[in-house]
Amino acid sequence: MNLLLASILIPVLAAILVIAGFNARRTAIFAAALNFLLTLVIVGQFKQDGGYQFLLSVPAVPALGIKFSLGVDGLGVAMLFLSTAVTLAAIAIARPPKANVSWFYASLLFISAGAVGAFVSVDAFFYYMFHELALVPTFLLIGIWGSGDRQTAAWKITVYLAFGSFVLLVGLIGLYLSLPAGSRTWDFRELAQAARIGTLAPAPWVYLTLFFGFGILVSLFPFHTWAPQAYASAPSPAAMLHAGVLKKFGLYGLLRLVTPIFPPAITEPFNNLLLVLLLGNILYVGLVTISQRKLDLMLGYSSVMHMGYIFLGILSWTTIGLAGAALMLVAHGLSIAALFALSGELRERTGTLKFSELGGLARTMPKFGLLFGFAAMASIGLPGFANFAGELMVFFGGFSAGKPVVGLNNFQIATAIAVWGVVISAVYMLRAYRRVFFGPPLERWKDLPEISTHAKICVVGLLILLLIFGFAPQLLVKFVLPAIVQP
């Protein structure tokens, strides 16, 4: 069997077994571990020549050029690795709910199947459909097993993402119809090739529709308000999977369907508008993050803020900026997953994530505090973690983008402003760390249990990956570079 098809089917079959009555937690963990091992096999067999490998193609709707096509290049392998690694950590750390345990774990597995399917699809139609498949269980997890005002959060994320998906679908159809009749296709490779030889010349509105469609799904400012509330209300494994993996769908789509296809003549007139919006992510949302009074909301806003850096890398259209954006896709996915995992564990122990009700926890849970400190440093972008390498490459890409002018051009000005986001990140993350883990300990927290072994293993695993890609970013960059550099 094709290995990529197996990576989609394993979580789907596991979900069916769980619903049928098999032990939910054990079956889900076994499937997630098996899928991660399968990904390591794929990584081991992958040849870094820049082309798609492990190909499978079956005609689905020939009249419309839709094919069930699977394949991965270096970028696809990186996203597959991220998806299966975060899935394993999320399912292993998940605590069984009091009711509907089978459907809870099945929902997590369906999210994983949808994410993997999207990242290994070569056909834009199935890429889109797999993402929609993953969103449905996300809504259910928030609405049924979430906390706080979970139903409002579930409705809000449903409305926003449904609208974003509709805008994206319009853009995809516009891209498809931009090809001459008889040569229309949804295949990423054929679309890119058609753009290179000039048979695909989409209109500017298609570019804007695709950018804003993907942007809404990624929480581009000002379409970001759904994300923090949804992550704060979601069960921690759902927040790990959506913030760590699913939200990368839109950024991955920009690297697949926008940068290889649209020429500067179409994109440049909109650069200033998009630079202002991504600075809104970094500065405005960053300042909003500082003002948060709950840890889960602060993490949700910080996740939205960091999307601005990745947008900057993509919009720079430079090799180093695109490589930095790809590196940040993985780095942010791992670091935010670790932070939401620890946030969820903390909520299970204390019943609250309000800063005013916490403090001094490092004395009663020193290992927990140490792990949170490492995850926080990774999120800030401390040297040694993959986030630092990614942000640095994005900033270099931003400074080298744009047209030469006397003084600074628009990209250089935007990048100089974006660098201040690093300071903002340090402020809100260090303040949160101090409020939760330092200061005078409260009497009611003196007997809190230390982090459990299985949770510690999950978080340490994510942190080790961040350190590996931080000290040796070339391990990841050499995979993604041939995929994002156009011949």
Side-chain angles (χ1 to χ4, degrees):
M1 176 182 285
N2 180 279
L3 294 182
L4 299 180
L5 180 61
S7 69
I8 300 172
L9 292 179
I10 286 173
V12 172
L13 292 175
I16 293 172
L17 291 176
V18 166
I19 295 171
F22 279 66
N23 184 289
R25 177 172 168 77
R26 290 178 183 174
T27 304
I29 292 177
F30 176 77
L34 182 61
N35 229 15
F36 183 65
L37 291 175
L38 181 62
T39 300
L40 295 181
V41 172
I42 293 172
V43 172
Q45 295 183 2
F46 185 79
K47 298 176 182 177
Q48 299 168 22
D49 63 357
Y52 282 88
Q53 298 165 41
F54 305 99
L55 291 166
L56 170 70
S57 184
V58 179
V61 186
L64 297 177
I66 299 174
K67 294 176 289 186
F68 181 71
S69 297
L70 305 179
V72 286
D73 57 4
L75 182 60
V77 167
M79 298 310 297
L80 176 62
F81 180 83
L82 172 68
S83 302
T84 54
V86 173
T87 295
L88 178 56
I91 290 180
I93 210 169
R95 293 170 180 265
K98 295 178 181 177
N100 300 316
V101 176
S102 298
W103 286 100
F104 175 81
Y105 280 99
S107 296
L108 294 176
L109 289 164
F110 279 128
I111 292 176
S112 179
V116 169
F119 292 133
V120 303
S121 288
V122 181
D123 186 279
F125 179 81
F126 278 96
Y127 162 71
Y128 176 87
M129 294 306 297
F130 272 118
H131 177 257
E132 298 305 299
L133 168 69
L135 287 183
V136 175
T138 304
F139 303 148
L140 296 177
L141 282 165
I142 296 173
I144 298 174
W145 294 282
S147 58
D149 194 2
R150 63 181 188 276
Q151 293 182 345
T152 300
W155 275 113
K156 194 170 184 179
I157 188 176
T158 301
V159 170
Y160 265 87
L161 297 191
F163 176 66
S165 295
F166 175 75
V167 174
L168 175 59
L169 182 61
V170 172
L172 290 175
I173 293 172
L175 189 64
Y176 173 79
L177 295 178
S178 300
L179 283 164
S183 62
R184 288 172 180 160
T185 179
W186 298 87
D187 192 294
F188 291 152
R189 299 160 298 178
E190 295 173 4
L191 286 167
Q193 177 62 18
R196 279 195 289 272
I197 63 177
T199 56
L200 173 59
W205 73 265
V206 178
Y207 169 68
L208 275 184
T209 308
L210 285 174
F211 205 104
F212 278 102
F214 284 128
I216 294 170
L217 300 181
V218 184
S219 60
L220 174 67
F221 175 85
F223 310 103
H224 64 282
T225 57
W226 59 268
Q229 188 177 359
Y231 297 152
S233 298
S236 59
M240 292 170 68
L241 281 170
H242 196 279
V245 180
L246 267 189
K247 201 158 72 167
K248 310 301 182 292
F249 167 87
L251 300 163
Y252 177 83
L254 290 173
L255 290 170
R256 280 281 178 251
L257 288 168
V258 174
T259 58
I261 290 175
F262 289 88
I266 290 181
T267 62
E268 284 180 357
F270 305 105
N271 280 347
N272 287 338
L273 169 65
L274 298 177
L275 285 172
V276 169
L277 295 184
L278 70 88
L279 287 177
N281 273 76
I282 296 172
L283 294 184
Y284 174 76
V285 178
L287 293 174
V288 172
T289 308
I290 291 177
S291 69
Q292 297 308 306
R293 298 292 181 264
K294 288 182 66 183
L295 181 61
D296 48 3
L297 276 173
M298 191 215 73
L299 294 178
Y301 277 104
S302 78
S303 175
V304 174
M305 175 199 175
H306 281 89
M307 295 301 101
Y309 295 129
I310 307 178
F311 275 119
L312 177 60
I314 293 173
L315 199 60
S316 75
W317 248 261
T318 60
T319 299
I320 189 170
L322 293 172
L327 181 55
M328 281 203 68
L329 288 180
V330 177
H332 177 267
L334 296 172
S335 61
I336 197 65
L339 285 168
F340 273 122
L342 291 168
S343 170
E345 287 293 299
L346 188 60
R347 180 161 48 194
E348 289 292 333
R349 284 163 171 72
T350 63
T352 181
L353 291 176
K354 292 180 179 177
F355 293 136
S356 60
E357 298 178 2
L358 300 170
L361 299 185
R363 294 193 181 186
T364 53
M365 301 190 297
K367 295 176 182 176
F368 197 117
L370 181 64
L371 291 178
F372 193 95
F374 274 112
M377 296 304 115
S379 178
I380 292 171
L382 195 74
F385 290 99
N387 309 60
F388 171 77
E391 289 179 9
L392 198 62
M393 293 169 71
V394 165
F395 292 148
F396 282 138
F399 273 113
S400 57
K403 294 180 178 178
V405 297
V406 177
L408 299 177
N409 66 31
N410 53 348
F411 274 92
Q412 291 165 335
I413 293 172
T415 305
I417 297 172
V419 170
W420 283 96
V422 177
V423 179
I424 295 174
S425 296
V427 170
Y428 66 67
M429 197 58 79
L430 292 176
R431 282 207 322 176
Y433 190 40
R434 177 179 60 81
R435 288 179 176 183
V436 175
F437 292 99
F438 296 96
L442 300 179
E443 182 65 20
R444 58 175 166 161
W445 305 135
K446 67 176 184 179
D447 295 324
L448 283 181
E450 190 44 285
I451 187 169
S452 61
T453 301
H454 76 278
K456 184 165 57 181
I457 292 173
C458 294
V459 174
V460 167
L462 296 173
L463 293 176
I464 287 175
L465 291 174
L466 283 166
L467 287 168
I468 291 174
F469 294 136
F471 281 101
Q474 68 273 17
L475 290 176
L476 192 57
V477 172
K478 70 181 181 181
F479 268 89
V480 302
L481 208 53
I484 60 177
V485 175
Q486 300 306 305

